[in-house]
Amino acid sequence: MEFRDLKKQYEVLKTDIDAAISRVLTNTNFISGKEVRELEEQLAEYVGVKHCITCGNGTDALVLALMAWGIGEGDAVFVPDFTFFASGEAPALCGATPVFVDVEKDTFNISPECLEKAIIQILDEKILIPKVIVAVDLFGQPADYIRIREIANKYGLLILEDSAQGFGGNIKGRRACSFGDIGTTSFFPAKPLGCYGDGGAIFTDNDEWVELIKSYCVHGKGVDKYDNVRIGMNSRLDTIQAAILKVKFKQFVEYELEKINEVALSYAEMLSESIIIPTIKDGFVSSWAQYTIICKEKGIRDKLQFRLREQDIPSIIYYKKGLHEQKAFEKNTILTANYKNTQYLTDRVLSLPIHPYMDIYDVKKIVKNIMQILLDLKTGCNI
């Protein structure tokens, strides 16, 4: 059983993907080929924004957005504590200070209540200037942008939407990557829309930021790459990856997004009485980068994972620690709370296999094993 079955996906799309790669190889336009431009146009239209700029990976996308805003030393960037390292790494790379904020226990996303408290704390301390909120669409569900936008407007902050895991999610029909002043995503292979290597994209309606980002992507270019007007980086999506993504994007829109929601619904219907399942808010749609359950009691998760592994059922812990616990941030952050929800989740979460090509019999097998293991643990049977 695969955790995210890219092999099955390739079997389904093999003819079209092979043909797309072959066309790039024949044309030998490996950097900035027409497929890159075509993909950017398709993605921008889908998301509902004016501009999409592809880049080397999802982390670069975050950094490029912050560079376009001039974020740096003395600036405070508010980041959910329960998320992948890159969300906090990007502001640190720009010289800013990540300020970690506790999350909602049921959705895994940044807590608007804790966010406002953190902003007020930073304003009161007068050490840093609040500048940006990084809102992460964790595991596929968009963050609560209605409340986050109200807070951002109240305090004059920009919103950077980190939708590395959320591409395809929506709130009442409005799609992920369109909620922030700038939105970003990742095309890492295991993401909802993934390529066969690294890749990322940036989304915005702002023409001025787009020109800056395009410059930063290619060594701070001016008229051309040999006219360097600012310090930038080298971050571009290869043409082969763009060609692959064009094929996969069509399948994503026409089949995969709907199918993976059906798989998630099957999990929910079968597991809801045995364990805490992911909460999807009314009007929200997840793209299900992960299906993450929560064990009701501390200490159960590791035993559950061990027993599942014995049955050849893969599972992964996203995440074992909050960002405030990462050694890399010891000297470059300000703590704002006790992070009780993050701690609750890091002790209890476990992500199960999920992908659009998952057979219902695999879902039933996983659920049956989980229910039996939990029963064994409850009754004290040998584990």
Side-chain angles (χ1 to χ4, degrees), residues 102-240:
D102 206 6
V103 297
E104 297 175 327
K105 191 162 60 174
D106 55 350
T107 70
F108 312 109
N109 284 328
I110 193 167
S111 162
E113 180 183 356
C114 293
L115 171 62
E116 185 162 21
K117 289 180 180 178
I119 294 169
I120 292 170
Q121 176 184 323
I122 297 302
L123 287 170
D124 289 344
E125 291 176 352
K126 299 180 180 178
I127 299 172
L128 301 170
I129 301 172
K131 286 289 184 70
V132 178
I133 301 164
V134 177
V136 179
D137 303 336
L138 198 67
F139 302 150
Q141 179 174 200
D144 189 347
Y145 288 101
I146 297 171
R147 295 175 65 193
I148 293 169
R149 177 56 69 184
E150 290 173 353
I151 294 169
N153 290 345
K154 181 177 179 180
Y155 295 98
L157 275 63
L158 293 162
I159 298 176
L160 176 54
E161 180 181 1
D162 179 353
S163 199
Q165 299 181 19
F167 188 83
N170 75 70
I171 304 174
K172 297 180 179 179
R174 182 176 173 183
R175 292 195 172 105
C177 296
S178 73
F179 297 109
D181 296 288
I182 292 178
T184 66
T185 197
S186 168
F187 300 128
F188 183 80
K191 293 296 192 288
L193 177 63
C195 59
Y196 289 163
D198 272 322
I202 302 151
F203 300 84
T204 187
D205 288 321
N206 189 291
D207 299 336
E208 180 181 348
W209 297 341
V210 165
E211 293 309 310
L212 283 170
I213 291 167
K214 287 181 177 179
S215 171
Y216 283 127
C217 278
V218 189
H219 302 289
K221 72 180 183 70
V223 176
D224 57 46
K225 67 179 181 178
Y226 303 109
D227 173 38
N228 307 102
V229 297
R230 54 183 60 87
I231 301 298
M233 63 172 73
N234 180 25
S235 186
R236 296 169 294 193
L237 183 71
D238 293 341
T239 307
I240 286 178

Side-chain angles (χ1 to χ4, degrees), residues 261-328:
N261 270 275
E262 291 177 5
V263 175
L265 181 60
S266 296
Y267 266 134
E269 290 174 344
M270 291 185 243
L271 278 174
S272 59
E273 295 184 5
S274 302
I275 207 156
I276 302 172
I277 62 172
T279 297
I280 303 299
K281 292 188 174 185
D282 289 343
F284 285 58
V285 175
S286 177
S287 55
W288 297 106
Q290 314 294 344
Y291 192 88
T292 302
I293 58 174
I294 305 172
C295 294
K296 294 179 181 180
E297 298 177 13
K298 184 177 179 180
I300 296 296
R301 187 263 313 281
D302 293 343
K303 296 174 182 177
L304 174 60
Q305 185 180 38
F306 178 80
R307 286 280 298 273
L308 288 174
R309 189 182 303 120
E310 288 185 325
Q311 300 301 317
D312 295 322
I313 297 173
S315 62
I316 301 177
I317 301 171
Y318 297 115
Y319 298 95
K320 292 185 177 181
K321 61 174 69 174
L323 293 189
H324 78 278
E325 298 178 286
Q326 296 286 1
K327 183 177 181 180

Side-chain angles (χ1 to χ4, degrees), residues 75-94:
D75 294 333
V77 178
F78 300 88
V79 180
D81 191 51
F82 185 70
T83 187
F84 181 60
F85 183 74
S87 304
E89 180 183 32
L93 284 170
C94 292

